[in-house]
Amino acid sequence: MIQDKHCKIITLSDRRKEDITLELIREVPLSIRVQGKSHTVIMRTPGDEVAHVAGFCLGEGLVDSMDDFSTLGYCEQDINVVTVTLKPERVHLIPDILKRKGFISQTSCGICGKELIDDLKQNLTTLPETSKVSMEAGLHCLDSLSAHQMVLYSCHAAALFTKEGGFLSVGEDVGRHNALDKSVGKLLVQDRLDMADLLVLSSRISYELVQKAARAGISVIFSVSGPTALAVELAESIGMALVSRKKNKGLLVFCGEDRLLSD
């Protein structure tokens, strides 16, 4: 269960005080073991463990597709541990990634912008020019994001759509990176990730989310909040469009205007 901790709180409005009970979002550790060794521990909202780890492995460059996994799963007695075994041929291709102590989804990594961009681009390729998204479809998907969420309170959401605006998957979590990993992972394990062209986020667009989206082949991101400067720099370098909503009305296109089709 995502919401299972009851908490008594006080509400204040119009100089009136009222005691109420709310269900709060859980945040618990998920241990990821790769090739029999502890790889990392993620604080996350319980649920979609296998999809979460599949998306994480794709975003971090551990795999390029489901074919790179030998096994992926967890013991039903302990859903806080997911074990990953890669095929031998994949292990030989990524020795540096397996040894890496830091991860893409760490904003405070201490790496300067230029070094980070150069490092990230080694695992990315320029997105196909043929992948374009309708502005109208993107706006509709942005407006409808909440309709696809099970939990609105305290959770980030990341939803994937086709270029025509068809809904594919959604991930929700206290961490915006986890939400995206879950959404991507659901399609990856179903072998449907190639259908996704549009990502819609409830959070700001950070460089980590651009990296993860690019690894998933996503060419357009719409978000309720704007991107960071580093996110725009990375997105521009691979031909990705970043769009967010203006405070009053309309949209802000930060890069990749040629990805957007006017209706």
Side-chain angles (χ1 to χ4, degrees), residues 162-179:
T162 65
K163 60 185 177 182
E164 294 85 11
F167 173 75
L168 294 172
S169 69
V170 66
E172 294 179 271
D173 201 279
V174 290
R176 60 183 185 273
H177 317 106
N178 298 337

Side-chain angles (χ1 to χ4, degrees), residues 136-149:
E136 184 176 345
L139 181 58
H140 172 75
C141 293
L142 185 62
D143 289 339
S144 66
L145 177 60
S146 61
H148 299 292
Q149 293 181 246

Side-chain angles (χ1 to χ4, degrees), residues 3-51:
Q3 294 173 298
D4 72 342
K5 180 175 177 57
H6 292 78
C7 180
K8 292 183 178 180
I9 67 172
I10 298 173
T11 66
L12 300 173
S13 62
D14 298 327
R15 298 183 180 180
R16 292 184 300 175
K17 184 171 70 173
E18 180 182 2
D19 294 334
I20 64 172
T21 299
L22 285 181
E23 292 182 333
L24 300 185
I25 305 298
R26 294 179 64 197
E27 186 177 15
V28 298
L30 175 66
S31 176
I32 301 176
R33 297 183 60 83
V34 180
Q35 303 304 104
K37 299 179 181 180
S38 177
H39 190 68
T40 189
V41 176
I42 297 172
M43 294 304 296
R44 50 84 202 210
T45 301
D48 300 316
E49 282 77 16
V50 172

Side-chain angles (χ1 to χ4, degrees), residues 10-244:
I10 298 173
T11 66
L12 300 173
S13 62
D14 298 327
R15 298 183 180 180
R16 292 184 300 175
K17 184 171 70 173
E18 180 182 2
D19 294 334
I20 64 172
T21 299
L22 285 181
E23 292 182 333
L24 300 185
I25 305 298
R26 294 179 64 197
E27 186 177 15
V28 298
L30 175 66
S31 176
I32 301 176
R33 297 183 60 83
V34 180
Q35 303 304 104
K37 299 179 181 180
S38 177
H39 190 68
T40 189
V41 176
I42 297 172
M43 294 304 296
R44 50 84 202 210
T45 301
D48 300 316
E49 282 77 16
V50 172
H52 185 173
V53 174
F56 171 86
C57 288
L58 179 67
E60 295 293 333
L62 288 166
V63 301
D64 287 334
S65 71
M66 286 300 294
D67 291 336
D68 293 327
F69 290 108
S70 178
T71 61
L72 171 64
Y74 64 91
C75 175
E76 292 185 0
Q77 281 70 43
D78 189 356
I79 62 171
N80 292 327
V81 178
V82 176
T83 58
V84 174
T85 305
L86 303 175
K87 291 181 178 178
E89 54 268 32
R90 183 62 185 176
V91 173
H92 293 314
L93 291 175
I94 58 167
D96 292 340
I97 295 177
L98 288 172
K99 294 176 183 178
R100 186 169 62 198
K101 294 182 179 180
F103 300 100
I104 298 303
S105 52
Q106 292 180 349
T107 303
S108 56
C109 59
I111 305 175
C112 80
K114 185 179 185 304
E115 290 174 341
L116 181 60
I117 292 293
D118 291 342
D119 182 52
L120 294 181
K121 286 185 66 177
Q122 293 179 16
N123 294 320
L124 300 179
T125 57
T126 301
L127 296 164
E129 294 182 3
T130 55
S131 182
K132 298 179 185 292
V133 171
S134 159
M135 283 284 286
E136 184 176 345
L139 181 58
H140 172 75
C141 293
L142 185 62
D143 289 339
S144 66
L145 177 60
S146 61
H148 299 292
Q149 293 181 246
M150 294 179 60
V151 183
L152 295 176
Y153 181 70
S154 298
C155 259
H156 289 295
L160 291 171
F161 299 83
T162 65
K163 60 185 177 182
E164 294 85 11
F167 173 75
L168 294 172
S169 69
V170 66
E172 294 179 271
D173 201 279
V174 290
R176 60 183 185 273
H177 317 106
N178 298 337
L180 180 52
D181 283 339
K182 288 179 179 181
S183 188
V184 167
K186 289 177 183 179
L187 297 184
L188 182 64
V189 299
Q190 296 170 7
D191 195 27
R192 295 197 301 147
L193 189 54
D194 60 348
M195 298 174 63
D197 285 293
L198 170 64
L199 167 64
V200 176
L201 299 170
S202 65
S203 65
R204 67 178 174 86
I205 309 173
S206 62
Y207 81 84
E208 311 100 314
L209 299 183
V210 170
Q211 155 76 17
K212 288 176 177 290
R215 287 283 302 160
I218 307 302
S219 60
V220 178
I221 299 179
F222 274 64
S223 179
V224 298
S225 185
T228 64
L230 194 55
V232 173
E233 185 177 350
L234 179 57
E236 285 182 325
S237 72
I238 57 176
M240 180 185 290
L242 301 184
V243 184
S244 71

